[in-house]
Amino acid sequence: MSSSHQPPPFLAGLSIRRLSNIHLPEISFDIQETHEAQDPAGVSEIIYERLDAVKERERRSILRALKKCCCCIPGDAWEQEYAPISPTLSEPSDDPEPSSFFTYKPSKNIVDPCGLSIIERVFFKSPPNRPQVIMSLALQFILPPSVKDLDPQRIVDLIRIAQSKHYRCSSFVDPVTMNAHPLAHTADKLPCNYRFIQKTADPSCWQTVYTEEINTNFDVNDVGRPLWRAAIIVPLKMMPKPGSLLQKGESHLPPAQQTRRLIFGSGKGFGEALPECGDEDRSFRIIFSFHHCLGDGLSMFAFCRTFAECTDVQFLTNENLHLENRPVVKEPPPLLDNVVNPYFLEVLPAAVSMAFKSFLRRGRARFQPQKPIPKPNLHSRVHSSASSMDNLTAPSSPHPHPTTIPSSPSLANTNPIQLLRNPHQPQSQTNTRFLWFPSDFTTLLRETSRSHKTSIAAVLVVTSLTATLAILRTRTSTSTSNTTHTETPTHQGWVVTNSIRHLLPTSHLLTGGPRETDPALKLFGGYAGSVMNNNLKLTGTSKLWSRCRSVKATIGTCLRESMRRMKVVNYCYRYPKVWRMIERRTDLGALSRGFSVEVANLGAWEDPFWEVESGGLGEGRAAGDGIVEEGLGLGHFGGVVNSSFDGVRGLFTLGVITLRGDMSVAVAYDALCVTEGEAALFVQVFCQVLRRIVDAGDNATVDDLLRACT
């Protein structure tokens, strides 16, 4: 390229600035890349790189459009015949591929290695006016005895260290290509979505913050921040100083309109009382919220395990953590979609089975999908307090009614909670109730389940279906229609999620390796599978333990069923016309809440943090060299995914986490489909049935346990 064609410097700068504003259907530019180009030849090279993935018939039209916007490229450069710089996924390979829909194709990457998987792309492309798929995890931390106070800047630094060790957490997702790109090279430059909330006198204020976090959408078009955030609830002495850089660096959030509180009743029965730490001034909470397109539930727990690695006394008390010397991980997690390569005869039986099971769901005596009815001014509604459910009754209408709750006198002199919700933005209506079962009861439940040849996961499913049956009976008995008779469903559906991470090349689980140290279980990505049954018969005369054994047998097929569905999706995605037809004809909203319950069980794990005494002080644990160390202790924990997005499968979603023997169960539900009274009924029946099932005989029926709950 001759120098006579070089434009004046001001024209080159003008065109480079305008280049980042070009957004055509098949081509886009990153503003960081255009800033790095210092000459017109560099701009031309960037354009040619983007044209690698563009179809031949569209290249000339794109070049003509770019010629009008970028005046710095010499005229003869536009007339050159385009030649791809490097092979891309859309380039034809050297070996001819069969074009038949029924024949086997050679294996190749169907998605970019640094991009999202097929299912994660579905999560990412939520309609802009609909709730997103968001999962949140609340953790309560307790300071060790040797640490008097904790600087709020240190909390953010520890979060950044954990963020730098996961590719998805330290990257942004391109809304066009749906590929993840790192945001920085070192931990000190990583943007972090955080906000500090002052702890109030109300011990349940964190539940209000949790509700706001799980119901607030992410800005998927903001390429300057990752798709996850942290809400840090601290006492007054740990709050950032007004006007400090830490306070100015908080995420820009809409101002609070009013303090909304979810009151679940004063009576706390079995399972509803949460653990308490000794000194509230020495504890704080962090609520991590992630967009589900980044990873699954185990990924959220993997992030917490990484955060636990930097919570000992040395990290808490060192003057400088030198974040500038901590590099950001640049290797994306592996994608299973690029590993499997199904052919037609392999996916045909699975597709027929899925269609057959969908056909069996039809029938008047089966659980039907619950449809929400939007109410006006939902953002101004305050949920009513759940009344006592001594007689196991609930309101007949499946839709909540707006009521007003007077403010609590104990909160009159405290600062209001900084709410995240903006009434002018689309929000979901998910409410969450947290349950807690101590280790002694969990051990007894596990032993009883094994003696009846079943598992805790199966017991949780059947207990949830029993609680749902109590709600359905209440709706049927209070029906006021004289012309139509609503029949109580005799069959219900359930879903249990599981992990297929042992299929990753880095996993040692198939060879008997320890789960706590397995590399595949420390990755942040989407590797979740599920198994479901939409035709389980459950009536009052059904034997409870027999139903549990049936559910356990179905859960045992989780790996096979997950792989079959993944291969069907993978095969259809390889044919763009077939995939686009599926996207056009699939209405996720019509498929929502087609099952009674979805149980997301993360399994039982050792506590990744430091041991905590009942008094709330860190006890410490022995290190490998015999020196006793200490660090942040973990009190209460719990998390779940929201239940308001299009395609949510369960009327109730249960997030189950077991650490050090203690089991936390978070029950999420959509307030547009379940009233607070019905939610209270579900929680009460669930806890009471779970407590009495350990003493129930093998012939105990559903009605026997429901009568015992009255």
Side-chain angles (χ1 to χ4, degrees):
M1 188 178 298
S2 62
S3 59
S4 60
H5 293 288
Q6 297 292 340
F10 70 92
L11 287 180
L14 176 63
S15 61
I16 290 176
R17 289 194 298 269
R18 296 175 62 183
L19 184 61
S20 61
N21 297 326
I22 300 175
H23 295 284
L24 297 178
E26 298 289 344
I27 187 170
S28 63
F29 298 92
D30 186 1
I31 190 172
Q32 296 179 357
E33 295 177 333
T34 57
H35 285 174
E36 295 175 358
Q38 301 296 330
D39 57 88
V43 177
S44 177
E45 183 177 356
I46 293 176
I47 294 175
Y48 281 166
E49 287 179 355
R50 294 303 181 273
L51 290 176
D52 286 349
V54 180
K55 297 180 180 179
E56 182 69 29
R57 63 178 180 272
E58 300 177 358
R59 289 170 182 163
R60 287 297 178 184
S61 60
I62 293 178
L63 285 174
R64 286 193 295 269
L66 291 174
K67 184 177 180 180
K68 296 179 181 179
C69 297
C70 302
C71 57
C72 69
I73 305 299
D76 56 353
W78 296 105
E79 303 301 330
Q80 298 175 5
E81 183 64 25
Y82 169 75
I85 296 177
S86 59
T88 61
L89 296 179
S90 60
E91 288 295 324
S93 59
D94 297 335
D95 299 331
E97 297 182 0
S99 58
S100 174
F101 186 80
F102 301 94
T103 53
Y104 178 80
K105 279 193 172 184
S107 177
K108 68 174 184 178
N109 291 341
I110 61 173
V111 292
D112 195 289
C114 66
L116 304 180
S117 65
I118 299 176
I119 299 299
E120 291 171 343
R121 291 168 185 261
V122 176
F123 292 153
F124 182 83
K125 294 191 298 184
S126 300
N129 58 341
R130 297 297 302 161
Q132 296 173 350
V133 191
I134 300 175
M135 51 185 183
S136 299
L137 179 64
L139 302 174
Q140 181 189 31
F141 297 107
I142 303 171
L143 296 178
S146 59
V147 179
K148 296 182 179 180
D149 293 321
L150 189 60
D151 186 11
Q153 180 64 54
R154 181 53 52 90
I155 300 177
V156 177
D157 290 343
L158 297 179
I159 294 177
R160 279 199 173 99
I161 293 176
Q163 178 186 7
S164 65
K165 297 181 180 180
H166 294 283
Y167 181 85
R168 292 280 182 89
C169 296
S170 57
S171 303
F172 72 92
V173 179
D174 190 328
V176 178
T177 62
M178 284 179 282
N179 294 337
H181 304 283
L183 287 163
H185 298 286
T186 55
D188 62 317
K189 301 297 183 180
L190 280 176
C192 182
N193 293 327
Y194 68 90
R195 63 174 180 135
F196 282 87
I197 302 98
Q198 181 180 339
K199 187 186 300 184
T200 65
D202 184 10
S204 62
C205 69
W206 66 271
Q207 298 187 32
T208 305
V209 179
Y210 186 93
T211 302
E212 298 295 333
E213 287 286 332
I214 203 173
N215 285 304
T216 302
N217 287 351
F218 289 92
D219 185 4
V220 295
N221 295 318
D222 186 2
V223 297
R225 292 183 178 273
L227 295 179
W228 69 276
R229 55 177 175 254
I232 309 170
I233 308 172
V234 296
L236 177 61
K237 63 180 181 179
M238 294 187 187
M239 287 291 293
K241 295 181 179 180
S244 62
L245 293 178
L246 184 63
Q247 186 188 47
K248 294 180 180 179
E250 293 187 67
S251 301
H252 178 70
L253 303 174
Q257 302 296 325
Q258 61 178 349
T259 301
R260 296 178 66 250
R261 301 174 62 240
L262 298 178
I263 304 177
F264 295 149
S266 57
K268 293 184 178 180
F270 173 78
E272 300 183 63
L274 303 182
E276 299 179 357
C277 65
D279 189 357
E280 288 291 338
D281 291 336
R282 296 184 54 80
S283 67
F284 64 96
R285 294 180 185 266
I286 301 180
I287 301 176
F288 295 105
S289 300
F290 302 87
H291 197 298
H292 210 335
C293 71
L294 298 182
D296 52 13
L298 275 180
S299 300
M300 183 169 57
F301 182 66
F303 181 87
C304 296
R305 294 173 66 188
T306 306
F307 180 73
E309 296 175 356
C310 53
T311 56
D312 57 19
V313 173
Q314 294 183 357
F315 279 94
L316 298 178
T317 58
N318 281 349
E319 294 183 1
N320 193 346
L321 296 179
H322 297 286
L323 298 184
E324 67 278 3
N325 298 331
R326 299 182 181 273
V328 175
V329 173
K330 297 298 180 63
E331 182 179 358
L335 299 178
L336 289 177
D337 291 323
N338 293 334
V339 177
V340 298
N341 185 29
Y343 53 93
F344 179 75
L345 295 180
E346 185 179 3
V347 301
L348 180 61
V352 173
S353 175
M354 293 169 60
F356 184 71
K357 290 181 179 180
S358 177
F359 177 78
L360 287 180
R361 291 196 57 192
R362 302 178 181 180
R364 56 178 300 185
R366 289 171 174 82
F367 182 82
Q368 301 297 326
Q370 305 297 301
K371 303 294 183 182
I373 299 180
K375 296 286 184 178
N377 299 326
L378 287 175
H379 62 271
S380 62
R381 186 182 73 237
V382 181
H383 299 286
S384 60
S385 173
S387 59
S388 176
M389 306 302 299
D390 295 335
N391 297 324
L392 293 181
T393 59
S396 58
S397 173
H399 312 292
H401 303 281
T403 57
T404 303
I405 299 178
S407 58
S408 174
S410 61
L411 298 177
N413 298 325
T414 58
N415 294 330
I417 299 175
Q418 302 177 19
L419 298 185
L420 191 65
R421 174 166 298 177
N422 185 350
H424 302 291
Q425 293 180 353
Q427 303 292 339
S428 62
Q429 298 292 327
T430 296
N431 287 343
T432 308
R433 293 170 180 258
F434 293 91
L435 307 177
W436 183 267
F437 302 95
S439 58
D440 53 352
F441 173 78
T442 306
T443 303
L444 178 61
L445 181 62
R446 183 179 296 106
E447 294 175 353
T448 306
S449 302
R450 290 177 178 176
S451 64
H452 289 275
K453 300 180 180 180
T454 183
S455 62
I456 289 184
V459 172
L460 294 177
V461 170
V462 176
T463 304
S464 303
L465 296 179
T466 304
T468 306
L469 180 62
I471 295 178
L472 297 177
R473 284 181 174 180
T474 304
R475 291 182 177 180
T476 303
S477 61
T478 55
S479 177
T480 58
S481 176
N482 297 326
T483 58
T484 59
H485 175 67
T486 304
E487 184 179 359
T488 302
T490 59
H491 295 71
Q492 298 186 52
W494 56 269
V495 183
V496 171
T497 61
N498 207 333
S499 175
I500 53 177
R501 292 171 179 255
H502 52 278
L503 299 178
L504 295 174
T506 58
S507 177
H508 305 295
L509 296 177
L510 294 179
T511 58
R515 191 178 63 161
E516 296 288 342
T517 59
D518 190 77
L521 295 175
K522 297 182 179 180
L523 294 175
F524 202 106
Y527 309 105
S530 63
V531 62
M532 62 192 69
N533 183 357
N534 51 22
N535 198 33
L536 180 69
K537 184 177 181 179
L538 186 74
T539 61
T541 59
S542 299
K543 295 183 179 180
L544 213 62
W545 288 114
S546 175
R547 296 291 82 192
C548 291
R549 286 188 287 268
S550 175
V551 172
K552 179 181 180 296
T554 308
I555 293 178
T557 64
C558 182
L559 173 61
R560 183 183 63 188
E561 294 296 328
S562 300
M563 288 299 301
R564 292 174 64 184
R565 284 194 301 272
M566 185 178 68
K567 288 182 178 180
V568 172
V569 174
N570 189 287
Y571 184 81
C572 295
Y573 190 82
R574 292 176 182 270
Y575 296 89
K577 292 183 179 180
V578 177
W579 185 254
R580 286 194 295 266
M581 180 190 67
I582 294 176
E583 288 184 324
R584 288 194 306 266
R585 297 188 178 184
T586 302
D587 184 7
L588 294 178
L591 301 177
S592 300
R593 286 168 287 275
F595 298 82
S596 297
V597 63
E598 178 176 356
V599 178
N601 188 6
L602 300 186
W605 299 83
E606 296 293 335
D607 189 355
F609 294 89
W610 305 87
E611 296 181 4
V612 179
E613 294 179 347
S614 59
L617 298 178
E619 186 182 55
R621 61 184 176 186
D625 54 0
I627 301 176
V628 176
E629 298 180 353
E630 57 183 11
L632 285 181
L634 181 63
H636 174 262
F637 54 89
V640 72
V641 67
N642 67 343
S643 297
S644 301
F645 61 91
D646 292 338
V648 60
R649 293 180 287 189
L651 181 64
F652 292 93
T653 303
L654 272 63
V656 184
I657 309 175
T658 304
L659 297 179
R660 60 177 182 261
D662 298 329
M663 183 173 64
S664 171
V665 179
V667 181
Y669 54 93
D670 192 342
L672 296 179
C673 298
V674 179
T675 66
E676 292 303 319
E678 290 174 339
L681 173 62
F682 179 91
V683 168
Q684 182 190 6
V685 174
F686 179 87
C687 295
Q688 294 300 322
V689 171
L690 201 62
R691 184 179 68 173
R692 288 174 170 80
I693 198 173
V694 295
D695 299 325
D698 196 63
N699 295 325
T701 63
V702 173
D703 281 340
D704 293 339
L705 271 74
L706 287 179
R707 283 192 295 266
C709 298
T710 305

